[in-house]
Amino acid sequence: MLKIFCSKKRAVAVWLVIALIITVCVSTAVVNSITAVGTGNDKTIVIDVGHGGRDGGVVGSTGIKEADVNLGISKSLKHFLKEDGYNVIMTRESDVDLAYGNEFKKTDMLARKRIIDSASPDLVVSIHQNSFPDKDVYGAQVFYAPSSDEGKRLAESMQTVLNANLSCSRMAKNGDYYIIQCSPHLSVLVECGFLSNPREESLLVTANYQRKVAYSIYSSIKSFLS
Ligand SMILES: [Zn+2]
């Protein structure tokens, strides 16, 4: 009786171990497939980080350089996109310019175009900050290439998200910017806010607000491409 009981007990224990192994294997496979797939799988995004190095861009009243704010927002945007499985290429990852030779602005732009061309991305987003003589003007604004209907649709949907998340009410506009017209790829340029507006400047310098801007851009890219 004791012997039978023991072997039954052993058999139950063996089955329990087998069931446990199967459960662990199946749940690991599910977790792996979620991690590997993501929504951004196989999609490449180029983040063009405006200005940098010898070109600081516009400067706020506290002396903050546009180039630094652009880099902060871009790094945060890269983080959100990569977490979701996108391939991300940034035109710069530190405070440098891309210029060479004598013609600073021209070669800096050509170097950015070269990065876009070799990435052959699904989408290009160029990150900038704005400035205006009237210090009351504020808000994020998205620009698209005048000839791109798809760019216009992306810019308008991104503008809606930015207006809602950042409590502003600007309109997407077409803009004659080289970076959004230099390649055949879907491109927008985001002026994330006005460094000439003291209140907006005080927000744009914080990591928290930079994350908020980046998340808004990320979520509109995600919904547009899916
Ligand atoms: Zn700029």
Side-chain angles (χ1 to χ4, degrees), residues 51 66 70 128-129 191:
H51 311 277
E66 177 192 349
N70 294 344
H128 287 259
Q129 312 304 314
E191 297 276 8

Side-chain angles (χ1 to χ4, degrees), residues 2 6 21 35 81 88-89 95 101 109 115-116 119 123 129 132 147 150 175 182-183 188 192 199-200 222:
L2 187 67
C6 284
I21 289 168
T35 314
L81 288 165
V88 181
I89 292 154
D95 188 18
M109 284 293 143
I115 291 169
I116 294 168
L123 192 149
Q129 312 304 314
F132 198 66
S147 60
E150 203 187 12
C182 69
S183 81
V188 288
C192 303
R199 190 185 156 272
E200 197 158 44
K222 179 189 168 86

Side-chain angles (χ1 to χ4, degrees), residues 177-195:
Y177 296 109
Y178 174 80
I179 204 73
I180 53 176
Q181 298 181 88
C182 69
S183 81
H185 308 291
L186 171 61
S187 304
V188 288
L189 184 147
V190 188
E191 297 276 8
C192 303
F194 285 78
L195 287 179

Side-chain angles (χ1 to χ4, degrees), residues 54 82 97 101-102 140 158:
R54 289 167 282 175
K82 283 199 82 89
D97 55 72
N102 296 324
M158 193 177 281

Side-chain angles (χ1 to χ4, degrees), residues 93-113:
E93 304 243 10
S94 59
D95 188 18
V96 292
D97 55 72
L98 285 78
Y100 51 90
N102 296 324
E103 296 176 275
F104 181 89
K105 199 67 195 171
K106 186 179 172 189
T107 55
D108 182 71
M109 284 293 143
L110 282 175
R112 289 166 198 262
K113 172 182 161 48

